[in-house]
Amino acid sequence: MRMAAHRIVFANEKGGSGKSTTAVHVAVALAAMGRKVAGLDMDTRQRTFGRYLDNRAAIMKREGRALAQPVYDTFDPAKSGPIEARLEAMADGADFLVVDTPGRDDENTRTAISTADTLVTPINDSFIDLDLIGQVDPDTYKVRRLNFYAELVWDARKARGKRDGATVDWVVMRNRLQHLDARNMRRVAAALEELSKRVGFRVIPGLSERVIYRELFPKGLTLLDLAAIGQDVGLAHLAARGELRELVAGLQLPMSMVLTPQTEMA
């Protein structure tokens, strides 16, 4: 009997966290491992996830290249019907369903979060983004109270447990890491550690701030494709690919779905 698709939902109400870029890279990485991956872009207006994969499909057609590519679609509330049905349809036959939600709070996003097996919230390494989850004392940098997004996820996790008894593994990803202000990074890390114990999420490193990600978008390429297209891979690109490997490992996805003879990310 085939296992149900593992749903990975990327959600953050604040824009600019690298959410869509990270979602695309995770989806392509899993597809490159030989898994059947479906992707759903729920941001009908901006549609960064979908456009990224459109660009990827276009370069494959234009240059006759065979690249790992998820099956994907865009959710349109006016045309696609209830989000629950659309998620079910996209998950059918897949090993993984990667969902990229819009940077806002709405009922469809809350529903998607409540169906997640793994919920990924990328945040920039700053107190501005951290404020989404909890408020920090300006003098001591200790967490004073939980914020609205933590409460939203708490409600979604309760809904999931009530519906089918399953849990939502919440992963907060420190994305766009920069190494300019070590003291600030330590303070953010300490606050996240305190919050993680109170709220129940895991913290993992994400992708650093690198120009390469902006350069790859128009062609729909990822870090995993550079060698395949014959592009020289410098030390910075090798480091970035190492970050991606660590990111996928940090998600702690079901190993039976990930470990195959072709799991090595080139």
Side-chain angles (χ1 to χ4, degrees):
M1 182 176 179
R2 185 180 179 85
M3 293 178 62
H6 187 93
R7 300 185 184 188
I8 310 169
V9 177
F10 285 79
N12 184 336
E13 290 184 25
K14 185 180 180 300
S17 64
K19 175 172 58 65
S20 297
T21 298
T22 308
V24 168
H25 273 75
V26 168
V28 170
L30 292 171
M33 292 174 182
R35 302 295 83 194
K36 294 180 179 178
V37 182
L40 184 64
D41 192 337
M42 290 182 60
D43 193 342
T44 311
R45 183 180 304 171
Q46 188 166 346
R47 202 176 166 270
T48 304
F49 181 89
R51 286 191 296 114
Y52 205 127
L53 294 177
D54 284 346
N55 294 341
R56 188 173 181 82
I59 196 172
M60 284 194 289
K61 181 177 181 179
R62 185 170 64 250
E63 300 187 5
R65 298 187 182 278
L67 301 172
Q69 174 78 324
V71 175
Y72 67 101
D73 199 2
T74 300
F75 175 71
D76 185 345
K79 301 176 182 178
S80 301
I83 183 60
E84 297 94 332
R86 195 73 198 105
L87 290 167
E88 287 291 336
M90 292 299 297
D92 186 33
D95 297 315
F96 293 96
L97 172 61
V98 177
V99 181
D100 187 29
T101 63
R104 63 178 181 273
D105 177 26
D106 61 28
E107 287 303 315
N108 290 323
T109 296
R110 293 189 181 209
T111 298
I113 291 174
S114 73
T115 69
D117 297 299
T118 302
L119 170 64
V120 185
T121 301
I123 66 170
N124 292 332
D125 213 44
S126 73
F127 283 107
I128 295 175
D129 279 32
L130 182 62
D131 191 65
L132 184 78
I133 305 172
Q135 293 182 9
V136 176
D137 186 278
D139 297 317
T140 65
Y141 295 98
K142 294 290 185 180
V143 176
R144 294 195 301 195
R145 63 181 296 271
L146 303 182
N147 222 335
F148 65 95
Y149 191 73
E151 295 170 355
L152 182 154
V153 174
W154 176 256
D155 289 341
R157 293 167 105 178
K158 286 196 299 183
R160 176 68 188 275
K162 187 175 182 179
R163 184 171 62 250
D164 58 17
T167 60
V168 178
D169 181 22
W170 187 13
V171 180
V172 173
M173 179 182 298
R174 296 176 68 187
N175 230 4
R176 289 182 166 171
L177 289 167
Q178 300 189 50
H179 307 286
L180 301 177
D181 187 353
R183 184 173 61 177
N184 185 68
M185 288 179 63
R186 289 194 299 269
R187 286 172 172 169
V188 171
L192 276 172
E193 180 67 20
E194 183 182 345
L195 274 169
S196 70
K197 294 174 181 176
R198 292 176 58 178
V199 183
F201 58 75
R202 297 187 292 112
V203 182
I204 66 171
L207 303 178
S208 297
E209 179 64 41
R210 298 182 188 273
V211 175
I212 184 63
Y213 295 114
R214 293 190 290 273
E215 293 176 342
L216 292 173
F217 172 79
K219 294 184 178 180
L221 297 175
T222 71
L223 294 167
L224 303 177
D225 305 311
L226 300 183
I229 65 173
Q231 180 172 329
D232 291 336
V233 180
L235 292 177
H237 295 169
L238 288 173
R241 280 182 16 192
E243 291 174 354
L244 179 58
R245 289 190 186 95
E246 187 176 356
L247 186 162
V248 174
L251 292 178
Q252 298 179 11
L253 301 173
M255 299 307 289
S256 61
M257 292 183 176
V258 175
L259 290 181
T260 72
Q262 23 183 353
T263 56
E264 189 65 31
M265 283 194 253

